[in-house]
Amino acid sequence: MGAPAVVTTAQVVCAMGAAPATLTVLPVSRVLVEGKPVATVRDMLPLVNVPTFGMCMSLANPSVATATAAALGVLVPMPCVPVLTGPWSPGSAKTLVGGAPTVQQSSMCQCAYGGVVQVLLPGATKTFIG
């Protein structure tokens, strides 16, 4: 048995973000799970699929580094704008949608500023994928 399918409305978190966010999967694949578009590894566009996580706390983020330096080294979180460096990984080895592997609950994305984006709640509750 697999894990619950990751669909639009899934809750995702970033290790450097202040708040969870809701994954948005555009209905281009036309494959629905429990009435919602299913996520593929390609659904990682910043501010389209993966919204802001509120405030960013990574010193690798230039705006956080600048604000922190101005505050004499006291960490100053700044607004998050994800800069994802690649697709979700690992994708499902068994389930493809539009030729792309689906996102699994264990899938992750890397942000250029050092954060790791992970699935907190997959969105589907009854449908499991492998």
Side-chain angles (χ1 to χ4, degrees):
M1 184 190 293
V6 177
V7 297
T8 198
T9 72
Q11 292 293 301
V12 292
V13 293
C14 176
M16 293 295 176
T22 302
L23 182 70
T24 300
V25 179
L26 302 177
V28 294
S29 70
R30 300 179 191 225
V31 174
L32 303 179
V33 170
E34 297 177 23
K36 301 173 185 175
V38 67
T40 72
V41 295
R42 296 179 189 149
D43 294 316
M44 42 67 75
L45 297 173
L47 305 179
V48 173
N49 304 118
V50 180
T52 178
F53 294 99
M55 302 297 276
C56 180
M57 295 176 261
S58 172
L59 288 173
N61 181 332
S63 64
V64 174
T66 300
T68 299
L72 304 174
V74 176
L75 180 66
V76 179
M78 295 299 288
C80 164
V81 178
V83 180
L84 302 179
T85 60
W88 290 92
S89 179
S92 173
K94 297 178 182 177
T95 308
L96 301 178
V97 171
T102 57
V103 174
Q104 306 176 90
Q105 192 165 3
S106 61
S107 298
M108 296 180 268
C109 273
Q110 184 70 41
C111 179
Y113 300 141
V116 176
V117 178
Q118 297 178 294
V119 177
L120 182 63
L121 298 170
T125 57
K126 301 173 188 168
T127 307
F128 291 73
I129 59 173

